[in-house]
Amino acid sequence: MSMSAALSSVTSAKVAVNGVHLHCLRTGGGEHAVLLLPGMLGSGETDFGPQIENLNKKLFTVVAWDPRGYGHSRPPDRDFPVEFFERDAKDAVDLMKMLKFKKVSLLGWSDGGITALIAAARYPSYINKMVIWGANAYVTDQDEEIYQGIRDVSKWSERTRKPLEALYGFDYFARTCEKWVDGIKQFKHLPDGNICRHLLPLVRCPTLIVHGEKDPLVPSFHADFIHKHVKGSRLHLMPEGKHNLHLRFADEFNKLAEDFLQWRCPRGHGTCES
C-alpha cells in the first residue's frame, strides 16, 4: 500500500469503554488528533462523510465515534438519563485515551457540540482546541416547541430520514427520537433550563463557534450565549448555513475548521482574541 493510500484509508474499530463497546472510524496519519462528535441519533458515517473524506490526512488523525446506543455502538439501546451529555463526554474522552491519544481537538455538531463543551470543561488538560456548531447550553420554551416539531420522524423530510432509517430500521429510529425529545425536555425543568451553562466559564481551550443563520433547530441566541461565556472564543456566522452546514457547505466548513485547528496564538497563550 502506498503512503497516500494508507493515509486515506478509513478503518473501523470497536473499543471497550466504560462497560460498552464503542464503534469509531479512523483516518489520516497526522500528529494532531481530532474527534468528530455526532448529533442526536447520529454516527460517524451518517454525520461526517465530507470530514472523514476530506480533512487533511497529513496534518490530522481523524476519529469519528458513535456514542453509546447510536450508530454501531449497540447494544445497549440508547437511553437518556438527565446526565446523558456528561456520560457521553466521559465516554468520548475515555475512548480517545484508550486509543492512546495524548491530547485531542473536538469537532462537535449539535448534541455533539454540547458533549464537546462538557468534555472541554471537565478535562481541560486533555482538550487541545474545539469547533462547535448547532449547540445550545440551555433549553427555552422556544426550543421545546422546536423539539416537539421533530418528535414524529415520519414527518421528517425523506432526505434527512433515509440514512438514519437505513442505519437503525424504522422502529428503533422512531422510538429513540421520541426518547430523545423527552430526554432533552428534562433540562427545561432545571433552573434556567440548564444543560451546561455553569461549565462554560471552565472551558480553557481555543474555541470556534460556527452558526448557520438559517438554522431552523437552534436559534442564534444560543451561539451568542456560548460565545459570550466561553472566554476568548470566536464566533463565525454562515449566512446561508442551516443546521447541517458542515454537509451542505462542506468545503467552506472544512477550510474554516482546518485553519482554526492549525492557527497558533501569536502570544503563545491557549486562548487569544484576534
Side-chain angles (χ1 to χ4, degrees):
M1 194 192 274
S2 71
M3 186 59 193
S4 66
L7 279 182
S8 66
S9 69
V10 179
T11 57
S12 77
K14 274 204 156 181
V15 185
V17 178
N18 298 330
V20 295
H21 287 90
L22 296 175
H23 175 265
C24 61
L25 300 174
R26 179 174 177 161
T27 189
E31 62 181 74
H32 191 149
V34 178
L35 177 64
L36 310 179
L37 299 97
M40 158 256 243
L41 286 161
S43 69
E45 64 184 296
T46 54
D47 287 19
F48 294 115
Q51 285 68 48
I52 292 164
E53 201 173 326
N54 295 319
L55 285 175
N56 187 313
K57 292 171 195 284
K58 290 197 177 76
L59 294 175
F60 305 110
T61 296
V62 176
V63 176
W65 84 308
D66 300 354
R68 64 168 74 201
Y70 284 166
H72 301 287
S73 295
R74 293 178 291 147
D77 280 3
R78 180 72 178 183
D79 63 349
F80 298 93
V82 75
E83 71 281 356
F84 74 89
F85 284 117
E86 293 272 1
R87 181 180 67 184
D88 284 345
K90 184 175 185 344
D91 281 348
V93 167
D94 289 346
L95 169 68
M96 294 304 276
K97 288 180 173 174
M98 285 292 291
L99 294 172
K100 300 284 186 275
F101 292 107
K102 296 274 175 279
K103 241 187 147 161
V104 57
S105 289
L106 305 174
L107 261 63
W109 178 32
S110 198
D111 273 14
I114 300 173
T115 302
L117 284 165
I118 294 171
R122 295 281 188 216
Y123 309 94
S125 62
Y126 192 65
I127 308 304
N128 186 356
K129 291 185 178 184
M130 170 166 64
V131 182
I132 59 168
W133 64 105
N136 52 301
Y138 57 97
V139 176
T140 67
D141 291 335
Q142 187 183 346
D143 298 314
E144 195 168 12
E145 228 166 275
I146 292 168
Y147 303 147
Q148 209 43 49
I150 61 170
R151 186 185 177 94
D152 179 357
V153 299
S154 67
K155 296 199 175 89
W156 289 23
S157 78
E158 191 174 0
R159 202 168 45 107
T160 316
R161 205 175 67 218
K162 262 213 135 107
L164 292 171
E165 222 174 295
L167 176 61
Y168 293 118
F170 182 80
D171 289 346
Y172 185 82
F173 171 39
R175 191 170 73 243
T176 308
C177 184
E178 289 176 5
K179 279 162 63 172
W180 178 86
V181 171
D182 294 339
I184 198 91
K185 279 160 82 171
Q186 296 176 98
F187 298 103
K188 188 71 190 51
H189 305 299
L190 299 178
D192 301 318
N194 182 36
I195 301 175
C196 64
R197 17 188 325 154
H198 60 299
L199 296 175
L200 302 183
L202 302 177
V203 175
R204 294 214 298 266
C205 66
T207 301
L208 171 64
I209 302 145
V210 184
H211 184 70
E213 296 193 71
K214 295 185 174 174
D215 189 334
L217 296 177
V218 181
S220 61
F221 61 76
H222 283 304
D224 294 335
F225 184 89
I226 296 168
H227 176 45
K228 184 179 172 195
H229 293 280
V230 173
K231 196 173 169 327
S233 63
R234 298 185 196 179
L235 176 60
H236 180 95
L237 299 177
M238 287 175 68
E240 294 303 309
K242 293 187 181 175
H243 196 57
N244 65 345
L245 55 86
H246 65 297
L247 302 174
R248 177 76 180 72
F249 301 103
D251 294 345
E252 183 184 344
F253 175 85
N254 285 356
K255 181 173 181 353
L256 203 60
E258 288 180 350
D259 288 350
F260 182 74
L261 292 175
Q262 289 181 83
W263 172 81
R264 295 226 183 320
C265 168
R267 293 194 291 282
H269 313 161
T271 50
C272 174
E273 286 281 15
S274 71

